Amino acid sequence: MAALAGVVSAGEQAPVRVLIVDDDALVRAGLSMILGGAPDVRVVGEAADGAEVPAAVEAYAPDVVLMDIRMPRVDGLTATEALRAGPCPPEVLVLTTFDADEQVLRALRAGAAGFLLKDTPPAEIVRAVRRVAAGEATLSPTVTRKLITHVTAVAAPSGPDPRRQRALRLLDGLTGREREVALALGQGRTNAEISAELFMSVATVKAYVSRLLTKLELNNRVQVALLVHDAGLV
C-alpha cells in the first residue's frame, strides 16, 4: 500500500501516522476504514506479516504500529521485540483475541504500549491510537490488575530468578518517593488514586511516573507494574 502524501501547514498538528500489520486482509481493510474516518489519523501503510515490518516501518515512518500477534511466518511478538530494540522505534499496539495471556505479557515486556482486542469498538480504537501517539499506555487500571493477577498465577522458578534479581536491582536505585509511586503502579492504581494515597497532586504523580520511566529505561507504566511484581513487592 502506498504511503499517503499530505502537506501540513504551519501551526497545524501533523496527523498520527499508522501502519497496520495483520495477515487477514479483511481486518486490515476494516481498521483502515475505522482509522481513515478520523481527521487526525492517517493510515500510511499495511503489512501482511511480521517479516514485512522492518521494510514497512522504514518506508512509511509510522508513529504507531497496529500489530497482530498471530501471523504465519514471523509473529507479531517477534516483530515487536525486534522493532522496539531498534533506534527511535514507533509505538506498538498489539491486536489480539485474548486479554490476559502469556503472549500479551511478552509483548508488553518487549515495549508494546498496550493492546487492543479485535472486537474493540471503533471509537475506542481511534482513541487508543491517539493515546499511544501521545506517549500514554492503553491499558486501564482494571486491565493492569488483571495482567498482574495473571503473572501471579505463573509458578515461580525453583532456583535463582534472574528476572527478580534484575527487578530488585533496578528498584533499589530509586528514591523513597519514587519507590512508593512504583509500588502504587504495581498495584494498578490510577494517577488520581496515587495522588490521594500519597498526598501529592496529580501533576506531581505524572512527573514521578515520567521520571520512573526514564530512570528505569521503560516505555510505559504497565512495564513499571510488571517490574514491581517481578521483584516480588506486590
Side-chain angles (χ1 to χ4, degrees), residues 99 105 108 115 137-151 184-189 221-226:
D99 61 353
L105 287 169
L108 295 174
F115 67 87
T138 63
L139 298 180
S140 69
T142 300
V143 173
T144 301
R145 292 181 185 118
K146 188 171 183 179
L147 284 167
I148 295 302
T149 300
H150 183 78
V151 176
L185 292 176
Q187 294 164 341
R189 301 281 194 266
R221 62 195 293 137
V222 178
Q223 285 189 320
V224 177
L226 292 172

Side-chain angles (χ1 to χ4, degrees), residues 193-206:
E193 289 171 339
I194 297 172
S195 171
E197 186 176 303
L198 299 182
F199 304 102
M200 60 174 70
S201 69
V202 171
T204 301
V205 173
K206 290 180 179 178

Side-chain angles (χ1 to χ4, degrees), residues 2-54:
L4 302 179
V7 178
V8 179
S9 61
E12 182 182 350
Q13 186 172 359
V16 178
R17 299 170 60 85
V18 179
L19 172 69
I20 298 172
V21 184
D22 197 296
D23 64 329
D24 189 326
L26 288 176
V27 171
R28 295 199 307 271
L31 289 169
S32 291
M33 289 181 62
I34 290 168
L35 296 172
D40 57 341
V41 178
R42 177 177 299 162
V43 177
V44 294
E46 297 179 5
D49 190 84
E52 302 172 11
V53 169

Side-chain angles (χ1 to χ4, degrees), residues 38 59 96 208 215 230:
T96 179
Y208 268 102
K215 204 166 186 177
D230 287 342

Side-chain angles (χ1 to χ4, degrees), residues 10-191:
E12 182 182 350
Q13 186 172 359
V16 178
R17 299 170 60 85
V18 179
L19 172 69
I20 298 172
V21 184
D22 197 296
D23 64 329
D24 189 326
L26 288 176
V27 171
R28 295 199 307 271
L31 289 169
S32 291
M33 289 181 62
I34 290 168
L35 296 172
D40 57 341
V41 178
R42 177 177 299 162
V43 177
V44 294
E46 297 179 5
D49 190 84
E52 302 172 11
V53 169
V57 167
E58 183 176 357
Y60 303 130
D63 302 306
V64 177
V65 177
L66 286 180
M67 183 86 75
D68 185 24
I69 285 184
R70 292 171 175 82
M71 291 181 286
R73 290 188 297 162
V74 176
D75 63 72
L77 299 177
T78 301
T80 296
E81 289 168 345
L83 186 59
R84 293 298 303 175
C88 302
E91 299 293 346
V92 176
L93 260 176
V94 171
L95 295 168
T96 179
T97 54
F98 301 95
D99 61 353
D101 66 4
E102 195 61 37
Q103 292 182 315
V104 170
L105 287 169
R106 179 180 158 193
L108 295 174
R109 290 188 190 280
F115 67 87
L116 289 174
L117 297 179
K118 288 193 173 181
D119 59 358
T120 299
E124 181 55 33
I125 292 175
V126 175
R127 284 194 292 269
V129 167
R130 289 172 179 150
R131 286 197 301 268
V132 167
E136 302 173 19
T138 63
L139 298 180
S140 69
T142 300
V143 173
T144 301
R145 292 181 185 118
K146 188 171 183 179
L147 284 167
I148 295 302
T149 300
H150 183 78
V151 176
T152 306
V154 178
S158 55
D161 184 356
R163 181 174 286 168
R164 183 172 188 272
Q165 293 172 343
R166 173 182 174 275
L168 286 170
R169 185 175 67 253
L170 288 171
L171 293 173
D172 281 346
L174 301 180
T175 66
R177 202 58 160 167
E178 289 169 347
R179 191 180 179 88
E180 288 179 332
V181 174
L183 288 173
L185 292 176
Q187 294 164 341
R189 301 281 194 266
T190 65
N191 287 345

